[in-house]
Structures are given as C-alpha cells and as structure tokens.
Amino acid sequence: MKKIISILCLFSITLLSTAQKADTTYRSSHLPTTYAVPKPDLIITAFKIVSISPARTTYSYTVKNKGNAAVAMRQVAVQAFWDNDDSFTKPVAGCGRVISDIIGAKLEAGQSFTDTFLCSRNLLSYHLCMLVVDYQNQVAESNEGNNKMVIAR
C-alpha cells in the first residue's frame, strides 16, 4: 500500500511540474507587446530669403511632415528669428505665419508644402536668420529637436 501511495504521489508531482512549465511557457510567449504611438514630425526642408530691403523681407520655405501620423494644423506656425551671434533669443514680431491659414485642416504623414511670407521690419543689420516650425510646441511630435533651420544672409 505504501508503494502505491508513493507511486501516486510521484506521478501527481510530475504532472503538476509539467503543467506549471507549460503554463509558464505560454504566459512568457504571450506577454503584451508595446507599440509606439504614431506621431507627426514637422521639419523644414528648404528655407531662403527671396528678397530683403529696409522696408521688408520675403521668405520662402518648405515644411514636411516626416512622421507617421497626420497633424491638425490649427495652432501650428512658422516663426523667423534674426540675430548676429547664433543665440536667437527673441522672435521678430510680424515675421511668421500660421500654417493653417495656408493648407487647411491637416498635413498628412509624408506631405510637404511650400509657401512665402513677408516681414515688414528693417533686418539689414542682422546676418543670421532661423526659421522654426511649431515654435510654441503645439504639436506632440516624434522628434521635437528638428524643427528649425538657420541660414546666413
């Protein structure tokens, strides 16, 4: 009788161990997977000064959404900064444009647009110009550090 109980106990322990291993294997191979949330990524791909005079400056620029999601353009703008020492601490008042005035509701992933805008300031004393898209960080982007381009006059 003791041998039968021993064999039954050994058999049940073996079955329990096998069931636990199988269960552990199943769980570890079916862990939840995390996915990155699709986000837009606004960049300036081209920027130039078309004309400059004491009365006004005309800019041309191209903005692209190189992210993997569309962006609603309600609050997004481009803003110009002028400086001589690369610090660019203050935007130049009146030297920007709200993008939604140009393209409408959305900029789809991969889509670009080109436009010009005027700045009615005397900027002849400055040598460097920086253009920033999404200057006030209204858009949660996949890369917040690539929103500007600097050119020398």
Side-chain angles (χ1 to χ4, degrees), residues 2-150:
K2 284 185 181 181
K3 284 185 178 182
I4 293 174
I5 291 175
S6 295
I7 292 172
L8 285 176
C9 286
L10 181 62
F11 180 71
S12 64
I13 290 171
T14 304
L15 285 178
L16 184 60
S17 295
T18 305
Q20 285 175 338
K21 281 183 186 176
D23 187 42
T24 303
T25 304
Y26 175 78
R27 283 189 209 166
S28 65
S29 67
H30 290 83
L31 291 175
T33 304
T34 56
Y35 297 98
V37 174
K39 291 185 177 182
D41 185 16
L42 300 174
I43 61 168
I44 299 168
T45 59
F47 174 44
K48 68 180 181 176
I49 299 167
V50 177
S51 66
I52 187 167
S53 70
R56 70 181 187 187
T57 303
T58 305
Y59 306 91
S60 173
Y61 65 96
T62 301
V63 172
K64 180 177 184 174
N65 178 1
K66 75 171 204 167
N68 56 6
V71 60
M73 301 302 287
R74 289 183 296 274
Q75 298 291 323
V76 181
V78 290
Q79 176 66 52
F81 295 74
W82 282 85
D83 214 326
N84 286 321
D85 63 4
D86 203 19
S87 64
F88 300 109
T89 55
K90 293 181 183 176
V92 179
C95 289
R97 181 170 182 116
V98 177
I99 295 173
S100 63
D101 290 346
I102 305 162
I103 64 163
K106 285 186 180 181
L107 184 61
E108 297 293 334
Q111 184 181 9
S112 296
F113 72 92
T114 300
D115 190 43
T116 60
F117 67 95
L118 300 173
C119 179
S120 300
R121 296 278 197 190
N122 184 347
L123 303 169
L124 291 174
S125 63
Y126 296 105
H127 303 291
L128 298 171
C129 185
M130 177 175 68
L131 189 68
V132 181
V133 64
D134 191 26
Y135 164 62
Q136 295 178 325
N137 292 321
Q138 297 293 315
V139 178
E141 298 177 68
S142 59
N143 182 350
E144 296 285 356
N146 62 355
N147 292 22
K148 57 190 170 188
M149 183 180 279
V150 177

